[in-house]
Structures are given as C-alpha cells and as structure tokens.
Amino acid sequence: MTRGFDADCLATREILNRVGDKWSVLVIVILGDGMRRFNDLKRSIDGISQRMLTLTLRSLERDGLVKRTVHPTNPPSVDYELTPFGRTLLAPVAELALWAQRHRPEVQRARDAYERAEKGTGRAGKR
Amino acid sequence: MTRGFDADCLATREILNRVGDKWSVLVIVILGDGMRRFNDLKRSIDGISQRMLTLTLRSLERDGLVKRTVHPTNPPSVDYELTPFGRTLLAPVAELALWAQRHRPEVQRARDAYERAEKGTGRAGKR
DNA sequence: CTGGATCCAGGCCGATACTG
DNA sequence: CAGTATCGGCCTGGATCCAG
C-alpha cells in the first residue's frame, strides 16, 4: 500500500483527466451501444460542437479506446466504435455512472444544506 | 435503455466534473485510509497548493463527501475524513483507479503507436 | 458529410502575500 | 497551523468560416 502509491495515484489522475473532460464519457457510453457515424454522434449528444466532438474522438482514438473507420464513398462517411480495449473501460465507467445516477439527489441535498448552513454560521457565502 | 438516457448521462458527467478535477480523486483515495489533518494532506499530495487543497476540500465538503472537524486548540487544527456517503464513492473510484494502474502501459503504447502511424500516413502530426 | 483553422471568452489553477 | 485574497497565465471549449 505504500509502494508505488504515488505512482498509482498519478496514473489514476491521468486517466481521470483523460476521461473526465467534458464529453469523453458521454461518447464512450454512447459508443458502448455500438458503432456510430460522426453526425450520428453529434446529433445524439446535442450540445457538443463539431470541434469538441472531433477533438474528443481524436483523443480517444489516440489512446486506443476508439477505432475510426473511413469509408471512401461519396459523400464520405466515417464510423467510430469502441475497441476491445475501450470496452474494458466501459465497466468501471458504468459503475461510476450508476453511482452518479443513484446519488445525485443526495449530493443535491447536501449541497443545499451546505448553502443554508453557510448563512447561519457566518461563513463568507460568496457564490 | 432509452428512457432517462440523457438525464443519466448528464448526471454522470456532473459527477465526473466534480470528481474529475485535478485533485479530488487524490484526496478521496488518501482519505479512504482514514482521517487526516490539513497540512498532513498537503504534505501527502506534494505538488498541490494550499489554495487548491482548500478549494478541493470545500467542494467535497459541500457535496457531503467529506466531513470537516475543527479543534479549538492552540495552534488550531482541522481534521478531514470521508463521510459514510463519501465512502460509497470510494468503491467505484477504486475500480477506475485499478483500471488506470493496470492499463496505463497499454494506453502509453497506443499513444506511441498513434504518433508513429501519424507520420507514415501523412497526417499533420503537430505536437 | 466530415472535418480543419482561427478567433475569442471564461474558468482553472499556481504563486505569492497576508490574517487569526 | 489553517486558511483567505489577489493577480496572472494557460488551457478548455464555443462560434464561425473554410475545405475535401
């Protein structure tokens, strides 16, 4: 538990920084359902700019989590899908997703309570 | 699978944004070992500024994940520990941490391969 | 349809100095 | 010891325009 502890934490932080950005998880979860095309993804996510979708997909492809397939048709189309490696990430992410879904109200309540308590105890309370 | 899909994704993204910042996971994992004092944490993490440690702890406290206890001694000392609720997050995070530790080399290899391939296929390759 | 390039705003985070 | 306040840089991410 003491050996490599820092290194492990660093590795964890590295992964979370990769996956914890604004869109990666969304893309991973959606691609968990199967192969999708670019604009298909874009429409599914709704709110993402094509820039961020491109960057996110590139980053995931770069790390070997997503496979990109270009079909030389006219007009051209590109498929994206999780690699087997990417699928191994799906389980832990789903775990966290489940936690998020189950505990969101609790977090919300805690947050509200904190705001209220803040006013009573004379804390700054600058929002 | 279709109902509440967007909402679930949003919840997931929300949690990941909370936990996916630069230091939260580190703090959670360390506090998973037991109660710690402020400067104790600061020394454990090494690289964090007192500012970021404060902000991170505040954020976690706000969401009900961490409990803060002030001892009115001289000099004053403050203990931080995970709440029972915070402990429920420990498991999924540990899951992801394990994934990170196990697959870091693979990610690194994929990244290297991507860089190399990039040069062969005439891609931009601007690093 | 699938992107690349550029411009620009806002937030995150670090360094430093100061307080109780 | 345990913070708070302020300043400033960097990076993320959005909008828009352009190209294959």
CSV table of all heavy atoms in Angstrom, one decimal, chain C:
chain,number,residue,atom,x,y,z
C,1,DC,P,-25.0,15.7,-43.5
C,1,DC,OP1,-25.1,14.7,-42.4
C,1,DC,OP2,-24.7,17.1,-43.2
C,1,DC,O5',-24.2,15.1,-44.7
C,1,DC,C5',-24.1,13.7,-44.8
C,1,DC,C4',-22.7,13.2,-44.6
C,1,DC,O4',-21.8,14.0,-45.5
C,1,DC,C3',-22.1,13.4,-43.2
C,1,DC,O3',-21.3,12.3,-42.8
C,1,DC,C2',-21.3,14.6,-43.3
C,1,DC,C1',-20.8,14.6,-44.7
C,1,DC,N1,-20.6,16.0,-45.2
C,1,DC,C2,-19.3,16.4,-45.6
C,1,DC,O2,-18.3,15.6,-45.6
C,1,DC,N3,-19.1,17.6,-46.1
C,1,DC,C4,-20.1,18.5,-46.1
C,1,DC,N4,-19.8,19.7,-46.6
C,1,DC,C5,-21.4,18.1,-45.7
C,1,DC,C6,-21.6,16.9,-45.2
C,2,DT,P,-20.7,12.0,-41.3
C,2,DT,OP1,-20.6,10.6,-41.1
C,2,DT,OP2,-21.6,12.9,-40.4
C,2,DT,O5',-19.3,12.7,-41.4
C,2,DT,C5',-18.3,12.0,-42.2
C,2,DT,C4',-17.0,12.8,-42.2
C,2,DT,O4',-17.2,14.1,-42.9
C,2,DT,C3',-16.4,13.1,-40.8
C,2,DT,O3',-15.1,12.8,-40.8
C,2,DT,C2',-16.7,14.6,-40.7
C,2,DT,C1',-16.5,15.1,-42.1
C,2,DT,N1,-17.2,16.4,-42.4
C,2,DT,C2,-16.4,17.3,-43.1
C,2,DT,O2,-15.2,17.1,-43.5
C,2,DT,N3,-17.0,18.5,-43.4
C,2,DT,C4,-18.3,18.9,-43.0
C,2,DT,O4,-18.8,20.0,-43.3
C,2,DT,C5,-19.1,17.8,-42.3
C,2,DT,C7,-20.5,18.1,-41.9
C,2,DT,C6,-18.4,16.7,-42.0
C,3,DG,P,-14.3,12.7,-39.4
C,3,DG,OP1,-12.9,12.4,-39.7
C,3,DG,OP2,-15.1,11.7,-38.6
C,3,DG,O5',-14.4,14.1,-38.7
C,3,DG,C5',-13.3,14.8,-38.4
C,3,DG,C4',-12.9,15.7,-39.5
C,3,DG,O4',-14.1,16.4,-40.0
C,3,DG,C3',-12.0,16.9,-39.1
C,3,DG,O3',-10.7,16.6,-39.4
C,3,DG,C2',-12.5,18.1,-39.8
C,3,DG,C1',-13.7,17.6,-40.6
C,3,DG,N9,-14.7,18.6,-40.5
C,3,DG,C8,-16.0,18.5,-39.9
C,3,DG,N7,-16.7,19.5,-40.0
C,3,DG,C5,-15.9,20.4,-40.8
C,3,DG,C6,-16.2,21.7,-41.3
C,3,DG,O6,-17.2,22.4,-41.1
C,3,DG,N1,-15.2,22.2,-42.0
C,3,DG,C2,-14.0,21.6,-42.3
C,3,DG,N2,-13.1,22.2,-43.0
C,3,DG,N3,-13.7,20.3,-41.9
C,3,DG,C4,-14.7,19.8,-41.1
C,4,DG,P,-9.5,16.9,-38.4
C,4,DG,OP1,-8.6,15.7,-38.7
C,4,DG,OP2,-10.0,17.1,-37.1
C,4,DG,O5',-8.9,18.2,-39.0
C,4,DG,C5',-8.4,18.3,-40.3
C,4,DG,C4',-8.2,19.7,-40.8
C,4,DG,O4',-9.5,20.3,-40.9
C,4,DG,C3',-7.5,20.6,-39.8
C,4,DG,O3',-6.5,21.3,-40.4
C,4,DG,C2',-8.5,21.5,-39.1
C,4,DG,C1',-9.6,21.6,-40.2
C,4,DG,N9,-10.9,21.8,-39.8
C,4,DG,C8,-11.7,20.9,-39.1
C,4,DG,N7,-12.9,21.3,-38.8
C,4,DG,C5,-12.9,22.6,-39.3
C,4,DG,C6,-13.9,23.6,-39.3
C,4,DG,O6,-15.0,23.5,-38.8
C,4,DG,N1,-13.5,24.8,-39.9
C,4,DG,C2,-12.3,24.9,-40.5
C,4,DG,N2,-12.1,26.1,-41.1
C,4,DG,N3,-11.3,24.0,-40.5
C,4,DG,C4,-11.7,22.9,-39.9
C,5,DA,P,-5.5,22.2,-39.6
C,5,DA,OP1,-4.2,22.3,-40.4
C,5,DA,OP2,-5.4,21.7,-38.2
C,5,DA,O5',-6.2,23.6,-39.6
C,5,DA,C5',-6.6,24.3,-40.8
C,5,DA,C4',-6.8,25.8,-40.6
C,5,DA,O4',-8.2,26.0,-40.2
C,5,DA,C3',-5.9,26.4,-39.5
C,5,DA,O3',-5.5,27.7,-39.9
C,5,DA,C2',-6.8,26.4,-38.2
C,5,DA,C1',-8.2,26.6,-38.9
C,5,DA,N9,-9.3,25.9,-38.1
C,5,DA,C8,-9.3,24.7,-37.6
C,5,DA,N7,-10.4,24.3,-37.0
C,5,DA,C5,-11.2,25.4,-37.2
C,5,DA,C6,-12.5,25.7,-36.8
C,5,DA,N6,-13.3,24.8,-36.1
C,5,DA,N1,-13.1,26.8,-37.1
C,5,DA,C2,-12.3,27.7,-37.8
C,5,DA,N3,-11.1,27.6,-38.2
C,5,DA,C4,-10.6,26.4,-37.9
C,6,DT,P,-4.5,28.5,-38.9
C,6,DT,OP1,-3.6,29.3,-39.8
C,6,DT,OP2,-4.0,27.7,-37.9
C,6,DT,O5',-5.5,29.6,-38.3
C,6,DT,C5',-6.5,30.2,-39.1
C,6,DT,C4',-7.5,31.0,-38.2
C,6,DT,O4',-8.5,30.1,-37.7
C,6,DT,C3',-6.9,31.7,-37.0
C,6,DT,O3',-7.1,33.1,-37.1
C,6,DT,C2',-7.6,31.1,-35.8
C,6,DT,C1',-8.8,30.6,-36.4
C,6,DT,N1,-9.4,29.5,-35.7
C,6,DT,C2,-10.8,29.5,-35.3
C,6,DT,O2,-11.5,30.5,-35.5
C,6,DT,N3,-11.2,28.4,-34.6
C,6,DT,C4,-10.5,27.3,-34.2
C,6,DT,O4,-11.0,26.4,-33.6
C,6,DT,C5,-9.1,27.3,-34.7
C,6,DT,C7,-8.2,26.1,-34.4
C,6,DT,C6,-8.7,28.4,-35.4
C,7,DC,P,-6.4,34.2,-36.1
C,7,DC,OP1,-5.9,35.3,-36.9
C,7,DC,OP2,-5.4,33.4,-35.2
C,7,DC,O5',-7.6,34.6,-35.2
C,7,DC,C5',-8.9,34.9,-35.9
C,7,DC,C4',-10.0,35.1,-34.8
C,7,DC,O4',-10.4,33.8,-34.4
C,7,DC,C3',-9.5,35.9,-33.6
C,7,DC,O3',-10.4,36.9,-33.3
C,7,DC,C2',-9.5,34.8,-32.5
C,7,DC,C1',-10.5,33.8,-33.0
C,7,DC,N1,-10.3,32.4,-32.5
C,7,DC,C2,-11.4,31.7,-32.0
C,7,DC,O2,-12.5,32.2,-31.9
C,7,DC,N3,-11.2,30.4,-31.6
C,7,DC,C4,-10.0,29.9,-31.7
C,7,DC,N4,-9.8,28.6,-31.2
C,7,DC,C5,-8.9,30.6,-32.2
C,7,DC,C6,-9.1,31.9,-32.6
C,8,DC,P,-10.1,38.0,-32.1
C,8,DC,OP1,-10.6,39.3,-32.6
C,8,DC,OP2,-8.7,37.8,-31.8
C,8,DC,O5',-11.0,37.4,-30.9
C,8,DC,C5',-12.3,37.0,-31.1
C,8,DC,C4',-12.9,36.4,-29.9
C,8,DC,O4',-12.4,35.0,-29.9
C,8,DC,C3',-12.4,37.0,-28.6
C,8,DC,O3',-13.5,37.3,-27.8
C,8,DC,C2',-11.5,36.0,-28.0
C,8,DC,C1',-12.1,34.7,-28.5
C,8,DC,N1,-11.1,33.5,-28.6
C,8,DC,C2,-11.5,32.3,-28.1
C,8,DC,O2,-12.7,32.2,-27.6
C,8,DC,N3,-10.7,31.2,-28.1
C,8,DC,C4,-9.5,31.4,-28.7
C,8,DC,N4,-8.6,30.4,-28.7
C,8,DC,C5,-9.0,32.7,-29.2
C,8,DC,C6,-9.9,33.7,-29.1
C,9,DA,P,-13.4,38.3,-26.5
C,9,DA,OP1,-14.1,39.5,-26.8
C,9,DA,OP2,-11.9,38.4,-26.2
C,9,DA,O5',-14.1,37.5,-25.4
C,9,DA,C5',-15.4,37.0,-25.6
C,9,DA,C4',-15.6,35.8,-24.7
C,9,DA,O4',-14.7,34.7,-24.9
C,9,DA,C3',-15.4,36.2,-23.2
C,9,DA,O3',-16.6,35.8,-22.5
C,9,DA,C2',-14.2,35.4,-22.8
C,9,DA,C1',-14.1,34.3,-23.8
C,9,DA,N9,-12.8,33.8,-24.1
C,9,DA,C8,-11.8,34.6,-24.7
C,9,DA,N7,-10.7,33.9,-24.9
C,9,DA,C5,-11.0,32.6,-24.5
C,9,DA,C6,-10.3,31.4,-24.4
C,9,DA,N6,-9.0,31.3,-24.9
C,9,DA,N1,-10.9,30.3,-23.9
C,9,DA,C2,-12.2,30.4,-23.5
C,9,DA,N3,-12.9,31.5,-23.5
C,9,DA,C4,-12.3,32.5,-24.0
C,10,DG,P,-16.7,36.3,-21.0
C,10,DG,OP1,-18.2,36.7,-20.8
C,10,DG,OP2,-15.6,37.2,-20.6
C,10,DG,O5',-16.6,35.0,-20.1
C,10,DG,C5',-17.1,33.7,-20.6
C,10,DG,C4',-16.5,32.6,-19.8
C,10,DG,O4',-15.2,32.3,-20.3
C,10,DG,C3',-16.3,32.9,-18.3
C,10,DG,O3',-16.9,31.9,-17.6
C,10,DG,C2',-14.8,33.0,-18.1
C,10,DG,C1',-14.2,32.1,-19.3
C,10,DG,N9,-12.9,32.6,-19.8
C,10,DG,C8,-12.6,33.9,-20.1
C,10,DG,N7,-11.3,33.9,-20.6
C,10,DG,C5,-10.9,32.6,-20.6
C,10,DG,C6,-9.7,32.1,-21.0
C,10,DG,O6,-8.7,32.7,-21.5
C,10,DG,N1,-9.6,30.7,-20.9
C,10,DG,C2,-10.7,29.9,-20.4
C,10,DG,N2,-10.5,28.6,-20.3
C,10,DG,N3,-11.8,30.4,-20.0
C,10,DG,C4,-11.9,31.8,-20.1
C,11,DG,P,-16.8,31.9,-15.9
C,11,DG,OP1,-18.2,31.5,-15.5
C,11,DG,OP2,-16.2,33.2,-15.5
C,11,DG,O5',-15.8,30.7,-15.7
C,11,DG,C5',-16.0,29.5,-16.4
C,11,DG,C4',-14.8,28.6,-16.1
C,11,DG,O4',-13.6,29.1,-16.7
C,11,DG,C3',-14.5,28.5,-14.6
C,11,DG,O3',-14.3,27.1,-14.3
C,11,DG,C2',-13.2,29.3,-14.5
C,11,DG,C1',-12.6,29.2,-15.8
C,11,DG,N9,-11.8,30.3,-16.2
C,11,DG,C8,-12.2,31.7,-16.2
C,11,DG,N7,-11.3,32.5,-16.7
C,11,DG,C5,-10.2,31.7,-17.0
C,11,DG,C6,-9.0,32.0,-17.6
C,11,DG,O6,-8.5,33.1,-17.9
C,11,DG,N1,-8.2,30.8,-17.8
C,11,DG,C2,-8.6,29.5,-17.5
C,11,DG,N2,-7.7,28.6,-17.8
C,11,DG,N3,-9.8,29.2,-17.0
C,11,DG,C4,-10.5,30.3,-16.8
C,12,DC,P,-13.9,26.6,-12.9
C,12,DC,OP1,-14.7,25.4,-12.7
C,12,DC,OP2,-13.9,27.7,-12.0
C,12,DC,O5',-12.4,26.1,-13.1
C,12,DC,C5',-12.1,25.2,-14.2
C,12,DC,C4',-10.6,25.0,-14.2
C,12,DC,O4',-9.9,26.2,-14.6
C,12,DC,C3',-10.0,24.6,-12.8
C,12,DC,O3',-9.2,23.5,-13.0
C,12,DC,C2',-9.3,25.9,-12.3
C,12,DC,C1',-9.0,26.6,-13.6
C,12,DC,N1,-9.0,28.1,-13.6
C,12,DC,C2,-7.8,28.7,-14.1
C,12,DC,O2,-6.9,28.1,-14.6
C,12,DC,N3,-7.9,30.1,-14.1
C,12,DC,C4,-8.9,30.8,-13.6
C,12,DC,N4,-8.9,32.1,-13.7
C,12,DC,C5,-10.0,30.1,-13.1
C,12,DC,C6,-10.0,28.7,-13.1
C,13,DC,P,-8.6,22.7,-11.8
C,13,DC,OP1,-8.4,21.3,-12.3
C,13,DC,OP2,-9.6,22.9,-10.6
C,13,DC,O5',-7.3,23.4,-11.4
C,13,DC,C5',-6.3,23.5,-12.4
C,13,DC,C4',-5.2,24.5,-12.1
C,13,DC,O4',-5.8,25.8,-12.2
C,13,DC,C3',-4.7,24.4,-10.6
C,13,DC,O3',-3.3,24.0,-10.7
C,13,DC,C2',-4.9,25.8,-10.0
C,13,DC,C1',-5.1,26.6,-11.3
C,13,DC,N1,-5.8,27.9,-11.1
C,13,DC,C2,-5.2,29.1,-11.5
C,13,DC,O2,-4.1,29.1,-12.0
C,13,DC,N3,-5.9,30.3,-11.3
C,13,DC,C4,-7.1,30.2,-10.7
C,13,DC,N4,-7.8,31.4,-10.6
C,13,DC,C5,-7.7,29.0,-10.3
C,13,DC,C6,-7.0,27.9,-10.5
C,14,DG,P,-2.5,23.6,-9.4
C,14,DG,OP1,-1.9,22.3,-9.7
C,14,DG,OP2,-3.3,23.8,-8.2
C,14,DG,O5',-1.3,24.7,-9.4
C,14,DG,C5',-0.7,25.0,-10.6
C,14,DG,C4',0.2,26.3,-10.5
C,14,DG,O4',-0.7,27.4,-10.5
C,14,DG,C3',0.9,26.3,-9.2
C,14,DG,O3',2.3,26.7,-9.4
C,14,DG,C2',0.2,27.4,-8.3
C,14,DG,C1',-0.4,28.3,-9.4
C,14,DG,N9,-1.7,28.9,-9.0
C,14,DG,C8,-2.8,28.2,-8.6
C,14,DG,N7,-3.8,29.0,-8.3
C,14,DG,C5,-3.4,30.3,-8.6
C,14,DG,C6,-4.0,31.5,-8.6
C,14,DG,O6,-5.2,31.8,-8.2
C,14,DG,N1,-3.2,32.6,-9.0
C,14,DG,C2,-1.9,32.4,-9.4
C,14,DG,N2,-1.2,33.5,-9.8
C,14,DG,N3,-1.2,31.2,-9.5
C,14,DG,C4,-2.1,30.2,-9.1
C,15,DA,P,3.3,26.8,-8.2
C,15,DA,OP1,4.6,26.3,-8.7
C,15,DA,OP2,2.7,26.2,-7.0
C,15,DA,O5',3.4,28.4,-7.9
C,15,DA,C5',3.5,29.3,-9.0
C,15,DA,C4',3.8,30.7,-8.4
C,15,DA,O4',2.5,31.4,-8.2
C,15,DA,C3',4.6,30.7,-7.1
C,15,DA,O3',5.5,31.8,-7.1
C,15,DA,C2',3.5,31.0,-6.1
C,15,DA,C1',2.4,31.8,-6.8
C,15,DA,N9,1.1,31.5,-6.4
C,15,DA,C8,0.5,30.3,-6.1
C,15,DA,N7,-0.7,30.3,-5.8
C,15,DA,C5,-1.1,31.7,-5.9
C,15,DA,C6,-2.2,32.4,-5.6
C,15,DA,N6,-3.4,31.8,-5.3
C,15,DA,N1,-2.2,33.7,-5.8
C,15,DA,C2,-1.1,34.3,-6.2
C,15,DA,N3,0.1,33.8,-6.4
C,15,DA,C4,0.0,32.4,-6.3
C,16,DT,P,6.5,32.0,-5.9
C,16,DT,OP1,7.8,32.5,-6.4
C,16,DT,OP2,6.4,30.8,-5.0
C,16,DT,O5',5.8,33.2,-5.1
C,16,DT,C5',5.3,34.3,-5.8
C,16,DT,C4',4.4,35.2,-4.9
C,16,DT,O4',3.1,34.6,-4.8
C,16,DT,C3',4.9,35.4,-3.5
C,16,DT,O3',5.3,36.7,-3.3
C,16,DT,C2',3.8,34.9,-2.6
C,16,DT,C1',2.6,35.0,-3.5
C,16,DT,N1,1.5,34.0,-3.2
C,16,DT,C2,0.2,34.5,-2.9
C,16,DT,O2,0.0,35.7,-3.0
C,16,DT,N3,-0.7,33.6,-2.6
C,16,DT,C4,-0.5,32.2,-2.5
C,16,DT,O4,-1.4,31.4,-2.2
C,16,DT,C5,0.9,31.8,-2.7
C,16,DT,C7,1.2,30.3,-2.6
C,16,DT,C6,1.8,32.7,-3.1
C,17,DA,P,6.0,37.2,-1.9
C,17,DA,OP1,7.0,38.2,-2.2
C,17,DA,OP2,6.4,36.0,-1.1
C,17,DA,O5',4.8,37.9,-1.1
C,17,DA,C5',3.9,38.8,-1.8
C,17,DA,C4',2.7,39.1,-1.0
C,17,DA,O4',1.8,38.0,-1.0
C,17,DA,C3',3.0,39.4,0.5
C,17,DA,O3',2.4,40.6,1.0
C,17,DA,C2',2.5,38.2,1.2
C,17,DA,C1',1.4,37.8,0.3
C,17,DA,N9,1.0,36.3,0.5
C,17,DA,C8,1.9,35.3,0.4
C,17,DA,N7,1.3,34.1,0.5
C,17,DA,C5,-0.1,34.4,0.7
C,17,DA,C6,-1.2,33.7,1.0
C,17,DA,N6,-1.2,32.3,1.0
C,17,DA,N1,-2.4,34.3,1.2
C,17,DA,C2,-2.4,35.6,1.1
C,17,DA,N3,-1.4,36.5,0.9
C,17,DA,C4,-0.2,35.8,0.7
C,18,DC,P,2.7,41.1,2.5
C,18,DC,OP1,2.8,42.6,2.4
C,18,DC,OP2,3.8,40.3,3.1
C,18,DC,O5',1.3,40.8,3.3
C,18,DC,C5',0.0,41.1,2.7
C,18,DC,C4',-1.1,40.5,3.4
C,18,DC,O4',-1.1,39.1,3.2
C,18,DC,C3',-1.0,40.6,5.0
C,18,DC,O3',-2.3,41.1,5.5
C,18,DC,C2',-0.7,39.2,5.5
C,18,DC,C1',-1.4,38.4,4.4
C,18,DC,N1,-0.8,37.0,4.3
C,18,DC,C2,-1.6,35.9,4.5
C,18,DC,O2,-2.8,36.1,4.8
C,18,DC,N3,-1.1,34.7,4.4
C,18,DC,C4,0.2,34.5,4.0
C,18,DC,N4,0.7,33.3,3.9
C,18,DC,C5,1.0,35.6,3.8
C,18,DC,C6,0.5,36.8,4.0
C,19,DT,P,-2.3,41.5,7.1
C,19,DT,OP1,-3.1,42.8,7.2
C,19,DT,OP2,-1.0,41.4,7.7
C,19,DT,O5',-3.3,40.4,7.7
C,19,DT,C5',-4.7,40.3,7.3
C,19,DT,C4',-5.3,39.1,7.9
C,19,DT,O4',-4.6,37.9,7.6
C,19,DT,C3',-5.3,39.2,9.5
C,19,DT,O3',-6.7,39.0,9.9
C,19,DT,C2',-4.5,38.0,9.9
C,19,DT,C1',-4.6,37.1,8.7
C,19,DT,N1,-3.5,36.1,8.5
C,19,DT,C2,-3.8,34.8,8.6
C,19,DT,O2,-4.9,34.3,8.8
C,19,DT,N3,-2.7,33.9,8.3
C,19,DT,C4,-1.4,34.3,8.0
C,19,DT,O4,-0.5,33.5,7.9
C,19,DT,C5,-1.2,35.8,7.9
C,19,DT,C7,0.2,36.3,7.6
C,19,DT,C6,-2.2,36.6,8.1
C,20,DG,P,-7.1,39.5,11.5
C,20,DG,OP1,-8.2,40.4,11.3
C,20,DG,OP2,-5.8,40.0,12.2
C,20,DG,O5',-7.6,38.2,12.2
C,20,DG,C5',-8.3,37.1,11.6
C,20,DG,C4',-8.2,35.9,12.5
C,20,DG,O4',-7.1,35.1,12.0
C,20,DG,C3',-8.0,36.1,13.9
C,20,DG,O3',-8.7,35.2,14.7
C,20,DG,C2',-6.5,36.0,14.1
C,20,DG,C1',-6.2,34.8,13.1
C,20,DG,N9,-4.9,34.7,12.6
C,20,DG,C8,-4.0,35.7,12.2
C,20,DG,N7,-2.8,35.3,11.8
C,20,DG,C5,-2.9,33.9,11.9
C,20,DG,C6,-2.0,32.9,11.6
C,20,DG,O6,-0.9,33.0,11.2
C,20,DG,N1,-2.5,31.6,11.9
C,20,DG,C2,-3.8,31.3,12.4
C,20,DG,N2,-4.1,30.1,12.6
C,20,DG,N3,-4.7,32.3,12.7
C,20,DG,C4,-4.2,33.5,12.4
